[in-house]
Amino acid sequence: VEPANVLAETVELFRHHDTVTVSLHCEASLPRVHIDREEFSRALTNILRNAVQAIEGKGTITITAQREAGDIVIRVTDTGHGIPPDALPRIFEPNFSTKTEGMGLGLAIVKKIIDDAGGVISIESEEGAGTTVTLRLPAVTAETGLA
């Protein structure tokens, strides 16, 4: 899939939020990535939903996508409340959540989708300052089919 197209479609679902501003910055002519379109959209939706829920009051979510060393790197940064340091090591575990609602499966599903595509997901967070979720997916090249 072309990551810029899936990002734009997914971001559009969150653009009309009353108190959260969502912006998307994609490098021009991003190469394709080998991932199921629906699964990729589901992963992005879960990440954006978490970001919106982490923002109390007004805030922003900034999504960037660019090519780095043969990979497509997507960063989703929010100005939410952040994740407590003691929770970060468990954030991808099924049924683990720092929220009172939901089943704690969102990030576990995201990790599986990204892992299955040969990618890597990482999270950096600071309590009170926000969170950045980074997805690194191998770019598809014409010569090899993969980066």
Side-chain angles (χ1 to χ4, degrees):
V1 299
E2 293 183 12
N5 291 346
V6 180
L7 280 163
E9 291 166 8
T10 306
V11 165
E12 195 57 36
L13 300 172
F14 293 86
R15 279 216 198 270
H16 306 291
H17 199 279
D18 292 337
T19 60
V20 178
T21 303
V22 181
S23 62
L24 173 61
H25 308 279
C26 282
E27 183 178 295
S29 302
L30 282 176
R32 297 168 67 86
V33 292
H34 187 71
I35 190 170
D36 180 82
R37 181 181 189 82
E38 295 303 316
E39 294 292 307
F40 188 37
S41 179
R42 177 180 300 157
L44 294 170
T45 298
N46 283 346
I47 292 167
L48 289 170
R49 185 178 300 119
N50 282 351
V52 167
Q53 291 172 350
I55 296 172
E56 297 169 0
K58 288 191 174 251
T60 61
I61 300 170
T62 305
I63 302 115
T64 61
Q66 60 193 44
R67 187 171 185 151
E68 291 180 13
D71 292 332
I72 303 304
V73 178
I74 300 164
R75 290 183 178 89
V76 179
T77 302
D78 68 59
T79 58
H81 52 72
I83 301 167
D86 60 327
L88 272 174
R90 300 188 59 206
I91 208 75
F92 296 117
E93 291 178 15
N95 303 312
F96 177 79
S97 180
T98 60
K99 299 178 277 188
T100 57
E101 59 189 45
M103 297 174 56
L105 295 175
L107 287 176
I109 290 169
V110 172
K111 181 163 178 23
K112 173 134 179 50
I113 291 167
I114 300 306
D115 287 351
D116 287 351
V120 177
I121 182 172
S122 61
I123 296 182
E124 295 175 29
S125 189
E126 183 179 338
E127 272 190 292
T131 300
T132 298
V133 176
T134 302
L135 306 177
R136 183 174 290 274
L137 294 164
V140 173
T141 63
E143 297 81 30
T144 64
L146 291 175

